[in-house]
Amino acid sequence: ADAVPISPSDRRQSGFRLFRQLRDGVLKGLRQDASDGSAAAFDGGSPAVRLLLLDAPVSDLAIALPLLLSIVRSQSLPVAIMATVRPWNCNNSDGAHFRRSLVSLRRTCDAVLQCRSFASVADCRLGQPPPEFRDLAGILAIAKAGASVAGDIGSGSAVRRPPADRYGLKRDRRKLNVQML
């Protein structure tokens, strides 16, 4: 079946709609936590809101996230956002727009982590990982780590980079272990 192209105005509207939903959810969570007094302290005893956006639509999130972050940063709100994107599951009917949205989204984020599984490796050993990575399930790469992420936030020390940019992922039943390569 042929994919129906989505107009730029429809893309923007869905991005703005997502922004309004996220903004309203954050503000509602902050008001609720402040009135309950039951939230975990983020810093100085203020409540924290944590957002987890699983398999977020890249085009919508590329519009909504910068708007939401501008509000969070301008008002110094205690909000942590984690978004997961699976680019291979996205509709690539407009490949150029999708790539631009993904680049914009990566530029907006403070940290970008990329996980690559060995399950999809197709080589002469029938999908087996390279011999040196035989005990690993995949690779975790730190593609971007901003200044606020790389430093030790608790002590306010100078900005430091993580010890490595690539880590091995090892699975132990239901537990995922991350080890430096």
Side-chain angles (χ1 to χ4, degrees), residues 3 11 58 86-99 102:
R11 284 188 188 125
V58 175
R86 294 181 182 176
W88 59 88
N89 285 344
C90 297
N91 181 6
N92 284 331
S93 61
D94 186 5
H97 172 73
F98 173 76
R99 284 189 296 277
L102 194 57

Side-chain angles (χ1 to χ4, degrees), residues 147-166:
S148 63
V149 176
D152 185 8
I153 296 170
S155 67
S157 65
V159 175
R160 292 187 301 252
R161 292 278 310 153
D165 288 337
R166 291 178 48 162

Side-chain angles (χ1 to χ4, degrees), residues 16-105:
F16 287 128
R17 194 173 318 119
L18 177 61
F19 161 68
R20 284 190 294 273
Q21 289 173 344
L22 293 173
R23 179 199 60 200
D24 294 344
V26 164
L27 296 177
K28 180 181 173 186
L30 286 172
R31 280 192 303 269
Q32 182 180 5
D33 288 345
S35 65
D36 291 348
S38 61
F42 190 81
D43 63 339
S46 62
V49 173
R50 294 166 185 88
L51 292 177
L52 175 61
L53 308 171
L54 292 173
D55 298 333
V58 175
S59 298
D60 297 349
L61 198 58
I63 294 170
L65 191 60
L67 296 171
L68 182 64
L69 287 176
S70 69
I71 289 176
V72 166
R73 290 176 178 153
S74 69
Q75 297 178 11
S76 298
L77 299 175
V79 176
I81 303 168
M82 179 176 174
T84 64
V85 175
R86 294 181 182 176
W88 59 88
N89 285 344
C90 297
N91 181 6
N92 284 331
S93 61
D94 186 5
H97 172 73
F98 173 76
R99 284 189 296 277
R100 282 192 307 269
S101 295
L102 194 57
V103 167
S104 172
L105 189 57

